[in-house]
């Protein structure tokens, strides 16, 4: 990934009043993109990352979506009551997942996808997230 990652903080109102946290999150996100670059060099374009808490998963305090091949939405719930360290790590692994979708060209721009296609693409992104980011995502468990 030789492109540029642009992180937009102005869209994330919850962080506007928490400047130190904002800078820390920005640093964490940019660090994660450098890690991902090693595994997904084919993602070679400018990626715009916007904050959007509509994608937050209550159990992790984070979430995300590959909106297009050039845009990712990330969620970070500042009111999450669990471990902040785990929440930051979940944000990192979410980026792995969403960047993998970009490499698959599996984004919100795709129309008329079947449930089977969705399961395959989500499963592949979950395996990538689990194996490359050393995570244990809730959506990858079969308990």
């Amino acid at each position: 990934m030789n492109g540029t990652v642009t992180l937009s903080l102005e869209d994330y109102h919850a962080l506007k009043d928490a400047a130190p946290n904002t800078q820390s999150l920005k640093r964490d996100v940019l660090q994660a993109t450098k890690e991902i670059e090693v595994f997904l060099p084919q993602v070679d374009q400018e990626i715009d990352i916007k904050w959007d808490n509509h994608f937050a998963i209550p159990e992790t305090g984070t979430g995300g979506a590959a909106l297009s091949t050039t845009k990712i939405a990330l969620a970070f719930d500042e009111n999450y009551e669990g471990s902040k360290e785990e929440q930051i790590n979940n944000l990192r692994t979410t980026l792995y997942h969403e960047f993998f979708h970009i490499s698959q060209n599996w984004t919100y721009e795709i129309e008329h996808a079947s449930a089977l296609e969705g399961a395959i693409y989500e499963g592949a992104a979950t395996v990538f997230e689990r194996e490359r980011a050393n995570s244990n995502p809730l959506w990858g468990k079969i308990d």
Side-chain angles (χ1 to χ4, degrees):
M1 183 168 47
N2 298 321
T4 305
V5 174
T6 305
L7 184 59
S8 173
L9 295 174
E10 63 272 3
D11 293 340
Y12 192 49
H13 304 295
L15 289 180
K16 277 188 172 180
D17 300 324
N21 196 17
T22 300
Q23 292 310 311
S24 175
L25 281 178
K26 182 175 183 177
R27 189 175 49 253
D28 292 336
V29 167
L30 293 175
Q31 176 58 40
T33 62
K34 289 183 188 328
E35 295 171 18
I36 295 164
E37 194 172 277
V38 173
F39 302 113
L40 299 175
Q42 69 273 29
V43 179
D44 187 21
Q45 60 206 14
E46 184 170 318
I47 304 293
D48 185 27
I49 300 175
K50 302 255 186 209
W51 298 104
D52 186 342
N53 273 356
H54 290 101
F55 294 101
I57 299 166
E59 293 83 0
T60 65
T62 62
L67 301 176
S68 74
T69 57
T70 60
K71 288 184 181 173
I72 292 176
L74 278 182
F76 188 85
D77 181 0
E78 290 235 321
N79 297 314
Y80 177 66
E81 294 180 4
S83 162
K84 289 297 178 185
E85 185 176 323
E86 286 180 23
Q87 185 183 22
I88 295 291
N89 190 53
N90 287 333
L91 186 66
R92 177 183 156 273
T93 63
T94 296
L95 278 166
Y96 274 75
H97 188 102
E98 300 310 330
F99 268 93
F100 192 77
H101 283 317
I102 287 175
S103 77
Q104 297 171 306
N105 200 31
W106 179 256
T107 69
Y108 272 61
E109 292 177 324
I110 303 297
E111 294 181 28
H112 310 293
S114 71
L116 179 59
E117 287 173 305
I120 291 168
Y121 282 107
E122 285 298 333
T126 299
V127 169
F128 178 78
E129 171 188 0
R130 185 185 68 216
E131 298 299 316
R132 296 298 188 197
N134 297 316
S135 71
N136 191 16
L138 295 172
W139 39 92
K141 296 179 182 177
I142 309 176
D143 300 345

